Short mmCIF file of all heavy atoms in Angstrom, two decimals:
data_model
loop_
_atom_site.label_atom_id
_atom_site.label_comp_id
_atom_site.label_asym_id
_atom_site.label_seq_id
_atom_site.Cartn_x
_atom_site.Cartn_y
_atom_site.Cartn_z
N THR E 1 0.82 -1.22 0.00
CA THR E 1 0.00 0.00 0.00
C THR E 1 0.85 1.27 0.00
O THR E 1 0.54 2.24 -0.72
CB THR E 1 -0.92 0.00 1.24
OG1 THR E 1 -1.70 -1.19 1.25
CG2 THR E 1 -1.85 1.21 1.20
N ASN E 2 1.92 1.26 0.76
CA ASN E 2 2.79 2.45 0.82
C ASN E 2 3.43 2.75 -0.53
O ASN E 2 3.49 3.90 -0.97
CB ASN E 2 3.86 2.24 1.89
CG ASN E 2 3.28 2.21 3.29
OD1 ASN E 2 2.23 2.82 3.55
ND2 ASN E 2 3.95 1.52 4.19
N VAL E 3 3.90 1.69 -1.20
CA VAL E 3 4.51 1.88 -2.52
C VAL E 3 3.47 2.33 -3.54
O VAL E 3 3.72 3.20 -4.39
CB VAL E 3 5.21 0.60 -2.98
CG1 VAL E 3 5.73 0.73 -4.41
CG2 VAL E 3 6.36 0.24 -2.04
N ALA E 4 2.27 1.74 -3.47
CA ALA E 4 1.21 2.11 -4.43
C ALA E 4 0.82 3.57 -4.27
O ALA E 4 0.50 4.26 -5.26
CB ALA E 4 0.00 1.21 -4.21
N LYS E 5 0.82 4.08 -3.03
CA LYS E 5 0.50 5.50 -2.83
C LYS E 5 1.56 6.40 -3.46
O LYS E 5 1.25 7.45 -4.04
CB LYS E 5 0.38 5.79 -1.33
CG LYS E 5 -0.86 5.19 -0.67
CD LYS E 5 -0.90 5.54 0.79
CE LYS E 5 -2.15 4.95 1.45
NZ LYS E 5 -2.18 5.25 2.91
N GLU E 6 2.82 5.98 -3.36
CA GLU E 6 3.89 6.80 -3.92
C GLU E 6 3.81 6.83 -5.45
O GLU E 6 4.23 7.81 -6.08
CB GLU E 6 5.25 6.26 -3.47
CG GLU E 6 5.50 6.43 -1.98
CD GLU E 6 6.86 5.91 -1.57
OE1 GLU E 6 7.55 5.34 -2.44
OE2 GLU E 6 7.23 6.08 -0.41
N ILE E 7 3.28 5.76 -6.03
CA ILE E 7 3.14 5.72 -7.50
C ILE E 7 2.25 6.86 -7.98
O ILE E 7 2.51 7.46 -9.02
CB ILE E 7 2.58 4.35 -7.93
CG1 ILE E 7 3.63 3.26 -7.71
CG2 ILE E 7 2.15 4.39 -9.39
CD1 ILE E 7 3.14 1.88 -8.06
N ILE E 8 1.21 7.16 -7.21
CA ILE E 8 0.29 8.24 -7.60
C ILE E 8 1.02 9.57 -7.71
O ILE E 8 0.85 10.32 -8.68
CB ILE E 8 -0.87 8.34 -6.59
CG1 ILE E 8 -1.67 7.04 -6.58
CG2 ILE E 8 -1.77 9.52 -6.93
CD1 ILE E 8 -2.76 7.01 -5.53
N PHE E 9 1.89 9.85 -6.75
CA PHE E 9 2.63 11.12 -6.77
C PHE E 9 3.64 11.16 -7.92
O PHE E 9 3.85 12.21 -8.52
CB PHE E 9 3.33 11.33 -5.42
CG PHE E 9 2.40 11.53 -4.28
CD1 PHE E 9 2.16 10.49 -3.37
CD2 PHE E 9 1.72 12.73 -4.09
CE1 PHE E 9 1.28 10.67 -2.31
CE2 PHE E 9 0.86 12.91 -3.03
CZ PHE E 9 0.63 11.87 -2.13
N VAL E 10 4.24 10.01 -8.22
CA VAL E 10 5.20 9.97 -9.34
C VAL E 10 4.47 10.22 -10.66
O VAL E 10 4.95 10.96 -11.53
CB VAL E 10 5.92 8.62 -9.38
CG1 VAL E 10 6.84 8.54 -10.59
CG2 VAL E 10 6.73 8.41 -8.10
N ILE E 11 3.30 9.61 -10.82
CA ILE E 11 2.52 9.82 -12.06
C ILE E 11 2.09 11.27 -12.18
O ILE E 11 2.11 11.86 -13.27
CB ILE E 11 1.30 8.88 -12.08
CG1 ILE E 11 1.76 7.41 -12.19
CG2 ILE E 11 0.37 9.22 -13.22
CD1 ILE E 11 0.64 6.41 -12.15
N LEU E 12 1.69 11.87 -11.06
CA LEU E 12 1.30 13.28 -11.09
C LEU E 12 2.49 14.17 -11.49
O LEU E 12 2.33 15.11 -12.28
CB LEU E 12 0.77 13.71 -9.72
CG LEU E 12 -0.60 13.19 -9.33
CD1 LEU E 12 -0.94 13.59 -7.89
CD2 LEU E 12 -1.68 13.72 -10.28
N ARG E 13 3.67 13.86 -10.96
CA ARG E 13 4.84 14.65 -11.33
C ARG E 13 5.21 14.45 -12.79
O ARG E 13 5.66 15.39 -13.45
CB ARG E 13 6.02 14.26 -10.43
CG ARG E 13 7.26 15.10 -10.67
CD ARG E 13 8.29 14.93 -9.57
NE ARG E 13 8.71 13.55 -9.44
CZ ARG E 13 9.65 13.15 -8.58
NH1 ARG E 13 10.23 14.04 -7.78
NH2 ARG E 13 9.99 11.89 -8.49
N ALA E 14 4.99 13.24 -13.31
CA ALA E 14 5.30 12.97 -14.72
C ALA E 14 4.32 13.67 -15.66
O ALA E 14 4.64 13.84 -16.85
CB ALA E 14 5.29 11.47 -14.98
N GLN E 15 3.16 14.06 -15.18
CA GLN E 15 2.20 14.73 -16.04
C GLN E 15 2.59 16.16 -16.36
O GLN E 15 2.07 16.75 -17.31
CB GLN E 15 0.82 14.72 -15.37
CG GLN E 15 0.22 13.35 -15.15
CD GLN E 15 0.17 12.53 -16.43
OE1 GLN E 15 -0.38 12.98 -17.44
NE2 GLN E 15 0.73 11.34 -16.40
N LYS E 16 3.49 16.73 -15.57
CA LYS E 16 3.98 18.07 -15.86
C LYS E 16 4.92 18.00 -17.06
O LYS E 16 5.96 17.36 -17.00
CB LYS E 16 4.72 18.65 -14.66
CG LYS E 16 5.21 20.07 -14.89
CD LYS E 16 5.96 20.59 -13.68
CE LYS E 16 6.48 22.00 -13.94
NZ LYS E 16 7.24 22.54 -12.77
N PRO E 17 4.56 18.63 -18.17
CA PRO E 17 5.36 18.49 -19.40
C PRO E 17 6.78 19.03 -19.23
O PRO E 17 6.99 20.08 -18.62
CB PRO E 17 4.58 19.31 -20.43
CG PRO E 17 3.21 19.47 -19.87
CD PRO E 17 3.39 19.48 -18.38
N ALA E 18 7.73 18.30 -19.75
CA ALA E 18 9.13 18.75 -19.77
C ALA E 18 9.42 19.35 -21.13
O ALA E 18 9.91 18.68 -22.04
CB ALA E 18 10.07 17.58 -19.46
N HIS E 19 9.09 20.62 -21.31
CA HIS E 19 9.21 21.28 -22.61
C HIS E 19 10.53 22.03 -22.71
O HIS E 19 11.14 22.42 -21.71
CB HIS E 19 8.08 22.30 -22.80
CG HIS E 19 6.73 21.67 -22.97
ND1 HIS E 19 6.43 20.79 -23.99
CD2 HIS E 19 5.59 21.80 -22.25
CE1 HIS E 19 5.18 20.41 -23.91
NE2 HIS E 19 4.64 21.00 -22.85
N LEU E 20 10.97 22.23 -23.96
CA LEU E 20 11.95 23.27 -24.25
C LEU E 20 11.17 24.57 -24.44
O LEU E 20 10.24 24.63 -25.24
CB LEU E 20 12.74 22.95 -25.52
CG LEU E 20 13.73 21.79 -25.45
CD1 LEU E 20 14.48 21.65 -26.77
CD2 LEU E 20 14.72 21.97 -24.31
N VAL E 21 11.56 25.59 -23.70
CA VAL E 21 10.82 26.86 -23.73
C VAL E 21 11.76 27.97 -24.17
O VAL E 21 12.86 28.12 -23.62
CB VAL E 21 10.21 27.18 -22.36
CG1 VAL E 21 9.39 28.46 -22.42
CG2 VAL E 21 9.35 26.04 -21.87
N ALA E 22 11.34 28.72 -25.18
CA ALA E 22 12.13 29.85 -25.68
C ALA E 22 11.75 31.11 -24.91
O ALA E 22 10.61 31.58 -25.00
CB ALA E 22 11.89 30.04 -27.17
N GLY E 23 12.70 31.63 -24.15
CA GLY E 23 12.44 32.86 -23.40
C GLY E 23 11.38 32.73 -22.35
O GLY E 23 10.75 33.73 -21.97
N LYS E 24 11.12 31.54 -21.87
CA LYS E 24 10.14 31.28 -20.80
C LYS E 24 8.70 31.53 -21.21
O LYS E 24 7.81 31.57 -20.36
CB LYS E 24 10.45 32.15 -19.56
CG LYS E 24 11.85 32.00 -19.00
CD LYS E 24 12.11 30.61 -18.47
CE LYS E 24 13.49 30.51 -17.82
NZ LYS E 24 13.77 29.16 -17.31
N PHE E 25 8.44 31.69 -22.52
CA PHE E 25 7.05 31.97 -22.92
C PHE E 25 6.60 31.19 -24.15
O PHE E 25 5.41 31.08 -24.41
CB PHE E 25 6.86 33.47 -23.17
CG PHE E 25 7.77 34.05 -24.20
CD1 PHE E 25 7.47 34.01 -25.54
CD2 PHE E 25 8.96 34.67 -23.80
CE1 PHE E 25 8.31 34.55 -26.49
CE2 PHE E 25 9.81 35.22 -24.74
CZ PHE E 25 9.48 35.16 -26.08
#
């Protein structure tokens, strides 16, 4: 159960796109 709960947070963090951004915009 403890590991399964941590999976949720990892998936949430992975949903944040890792983009290349020109000039922050």
Side-chain angles (χ1 to χ4, degrees):
T1 304
N2 292 332
V3 174
K5 289 181 179 178
E6 293 181 355
I7 291 177
I8 298 175
F9 294 103
V10 177
I11 293 177
L12 288 175
R13 184 166 59 177
Q15 297 306 306
K16 182 181 179 181
H19 291 300
L20 289 183
V21 183
K24 304 296 184 181
F25 57 85

